[in-house]
Amino acid sequence: MIGMGHKTREDWVREFHNLDKDNPRVGEGFTREGLDFRCSLIAEEFEELMDEFTKAWSEIDRKGFVTKDTKENLMKELCDLLFVLSGMAVQ
């Protein structure tokens, strides 16, 4: 934890994962299974983020701007990717 009462994203993710008592991956260190799991999550979320970038580029080309829905989807996918990256960090 940084400072007094300030949690990092990784602190929040660790706390979230620790709520699930069936999640053995938090704090277990690196294993083949754990790395495979984290890699698949990161790849999936990255692919979803890139799909939203493709939509945004297409909207810019067709309309000259990115729609509100696509902006929201970009932010959602970016947050999902940050979450799985932080999950890797706390592993």
Side-chain angles (χ1 to χ4, degrees):
M1 196 167 356
I2 296 175
M4 293 185 45
H6 298 291
K7 292 183 180 181
T8 65
R9 180 176 44 248
E10 286 71 27
D11 291 329
W12 288 106
V13 169
R14 186 179 297 106
E15 232 174 77
F16 174 81
H17 283 304
N18 285 334
L19 293 174
D20 180 2
K21 299 302 178 197
D22 296 324
N23 187 349
R25 292 180 173 89
V26 174
E28 79 175 5
F30 294 122
T31 64
R32 177 63 188 222
E33 179 186 80
L35 287 175
D36 287 348
F37 175 72
R38 295 296 177 187
C39 185
S40 68
L41 290 176
I42 291 167
E44 177 184 339
E45 295 304 337
F46 182 76
E47 184 177 330
E48 291 173 6
L49 177 61
M50 293 310 297
D51 288 346
E52 292 304 322
F53 270 113
T54 300
K55 284 184 198 173
W57 291 322
S58 176
E59 288 176 357
I60 289 170
D61 291 343
R62 288 183 291 111
K63 302 175 184 180
F65 65 93
V66 178
T67 64
K68 181 178 184 271
D69 284 346
T70 300
K71 288 177 187 176
E72 289 173 359
N73 289 336
L74 271 167
M75 293 305 104
K76 184 255 185 220
E77 296 306 337
L78 181 59
C79 288
D80 287 353
L81 181 58
L82 287 170
F83 183 81
V84 297
L85 289 171
S86 291
M88 172 81 181
V90 300
Q91 181 170 341

